[in-house]
Amino acid sequence: MELKHFIDTQDFTKAELLDLIKLIRLIKQADKQGATPKLLEGASLAMLFEEPSTRTRISFEVGMTELGGHALYLKPGEIHLGVRESLSDTAQVISRYVDVIMARTLKHETMLGLVENATVPVINGLTDYNHPTQVVCDVLTMIEHAPEGKKLEDFNVTFVGDATNVLSSLMFICTRLGMNFTHAAPKKYQAPDAWMEIAKANCKQSGGSIRVMEDPIDAVKDADFIYTDLWWWVGQEDEIPERRAAFMPRYQVNMDLIEHAPEHVKFMHCLPASRGVEATDEVMDSDHSIIFDQAENRLHTEKGLLVWLVYPHLKKASAEQKAVHAGQIVDFLESHF
Ligand code: CP
């Protein structure tokens, strides 16, 4: 079985992504009945973080435990990741200990370096370029909250705000699946040409559509889902006054903007959020908001991803083989100690 990594949704076809979402839904159904199968019994996950995390860290660790496995949290600065040891050596060594690696790296190149050298599956838990696990979870959440009878290919998704790593992944997966995607932002903060080229190529294949515009009111008028993300991130503190001036108040998701969308519109945010900045409390805590269902779905998504990538590679010894090995070891211990 070929080794598969999960670094970019662009590495997968529409059919593969929809199959993954079907698997996640089966695992979620099992979880809701208290019947999660222990498919990864005895398996280990290394979680490498160069940045802090709440959702990614907890959902992967809890997910692995619920599947019968074990997760190691290797927090920023805890291991040699390109410092005092080459990335290649670290990736090869970790691969000898664990069955799967999940990493959050500052630079996308670090993620690609891990993939190049690891001999177990690597899952991208966010880089400066993208956040693929988040957006698989987002599509699952959209399917669960779509207007009754509406086909996935007819979903209208509008992202209002900065061209973040979540935006790149969201526009890629939505266009790959054939949805209609709109980005509304001031010119300077709109999706770059390179991302637009990828999204347009996806649309050509899938029949989806992609638009970028400055007017947020026009952008939300047919939206089934309005999504936003932080306007600045760690390392962009110097830009806060300029960014605040560019986005506020026009691009804030508040009730005035929601009222320009269809009545059924749902509000999404990957979190963490700066409440009162990119979205108001009134919206985040309204009936339109599905942000906590979205956050919960990270857990089900991580479990689906882990099973999808790891289960096919686990060594599955028969009861007879296990008994033979246990017998040999016990005989040795009893005759020597
Ligand atoms: N959405 C998300 O990735 O959250 P964390 O940064 O808390 O992991």
Side-chain angles (χ1 to χ4, degrees):
M1 167 72 65
E2 197 193 331
L3 189 64
K4 211 162 30 183
H5 304 285
F6 194 75
I7 303 303
D8 190 334
T9 54
Q10 286 298 112
D11 298 334
F12 301 94
T13 64
K14 175 176 177 177
E16 286 170 327
L17 292 168
L18 291 177
D19 274 350
L20 170 61
I21 291 169
K22 270 189 211 156
L23 172 64
I24 295 167
R25 294 185 83 180
L26 286 173
I27 288 174
K28 181 170 179 176
Q29 274 170 23
D31 178 77
K32 294 295 173 191
Q33 300 299 318
T36 303
K38 305 277 183 220
L39 293 170
L40 300 187
E41 195 136 36
S44 293
L45 160 71
M47 307 193 300
L48 278 50
F49 281 90
E50 289 192 314
E51 273 193 330
S53 158
T54 299
R55 279 143 289 271
T56 306
R57 184 256 160 104
I58 297 173
S59 58
F60 269 102
E61 183 162 345
V62 171
M64 195 64 184
T65 305
E66 288 182 1
L67 290 165
H70 167 253
L72 296 94
Y73 173 53
L74 301 163
K75 62 178 186 266
E78 192 147 282
I79 60 162
H80 313 296
L81 198 67
V83 182
R84 288 186 300 277
E85 180 172 68
S86 72
L87 184 62
S88 155
D89 286 354
T90 303
Q92 292 182 69
V93 168
I94 295 176
S95 300
R96 298 290 180 109
Y97 300 138
V98 302
D99 301 280
V100 53
I101 297 169
M102 189 279 296
R104 169 169 290 192
T105 61
L106 295 169
K107 296 273 164 229
H108 197 68
E109 297 82 64
T110 310
M111 187 68 64
L112 299 180
L114 276 174
V115 168
E116 205 178 310
N117 294 287
T119 53
V120 294
V122 177
I123 301 174
N124 175 355
L126 183 138
T127 70
D128 58 345
Y129 173 60
N130 66 352
H131 198 357
T133 59
Q134 176 67 54
V135 299
V136 171
C137 152
D138 296 339
V139 171
L140 165 67
T141 312
M142 288 176 199
I143 292 169
E144 291 174 342
H145 288 278
E148 190 139 357
K150 192 157 192 171
K151 278 192 3 237
L152 178 102
E153 288 80 1
D154 296 329
F155 291 2
N156 298 320
V157 181
T158 296
F159 186 103
V160 180
D162 189 24
T164 60
N165 39 14
V166 171
L167 169 71
S168 78
S169 288
L170 194 67
M171 66 192 275
F172 295 163
I173 196 167
C174 289
T175 53
R176 197 136 187 101
L177 295 179
M179 300 182 200
N180 305 304
F181 192 87
T182 302
H183 180 210
K187 272 226 167 330
K188 183 172 173 187
Y189 299 97
Q190 289 177 353
D193 291 346
W195 298 1
M196 288 300 290
E197 290 313 310
I198 294 171
K200 281 179 192 163
N202 283 346
C203 291
K204 224 176 191 174
Q205 273 203 330
S206 69
S209 69
I210 176 81
R211 301 184 302 172
V212 178
M213 57 175 70
E214 280 190 87
D215 184 359
I217 292 175
D218 194 22
V220 302
K221 76 175 191 296
D222 298 318
D224 299 307
F225 301 95
I226 298 177
Y227 199 122
T228 192
D229 191 3
L230 294 165
W231 287 345
W232 51 81
W233 188 241
V234 181
Q236 294 176 322
E237 290 83 358
D238 291 352
E239 299 176 31
I240 293 175
E242 189 191 343
R243 285 173 168 267
R244 191 188 284 275
F247 287 106
M248 190 72 103
R250 194 177 181 202
Y251 297 93
Q252 184 186 58
V253 183
N254 50 37
M255 285 315 284
D256 288 344
L257 186 64
I258 292 280
E259 275 159 23
H260 286 92
E263 223 173 294
H264 68 258
V265 74
K266 299 294 180 201
F267 171 72
M268 301 180 73
H269 194 308
C270 52
L271 304 178
S274 289
R275 282 176 171 259
V277 181
E278 70 273 10
T280 59
D281 284 342
E282 203 183 357
V283 169
M284 294 186 72
D285 299 326
S286 72
D287 289 343
H288 294 284
S289 177
I290 53 173
I291 57 174
F292 297 118
D293 289 347
Q294 196 183 346
E296 178 193 320
N297 277 340
R298 287 296 302 276
L299 174 62
H300 308 299
T301 300
E302 322 311 19
K303 288 199 301 198
L305 264 173
L306 287 165
V307 168
W308 193 47
L309 297 174
V310 180
Y311 181 79
H313 297 284
L314 288 182
K315 293 179 194 80
K316 299 165 189 94
S318 65
E320 199 179 25
Q321 282 171 313
K322 285 181 190 169
V324 168
H325 285 287
Q328 285 173 350
I329 296 163
V330 169
D331 285 351
F332 177 87
L333 288 169
E334 286 183 353
S335 62
H336 285 77
F337 302 103

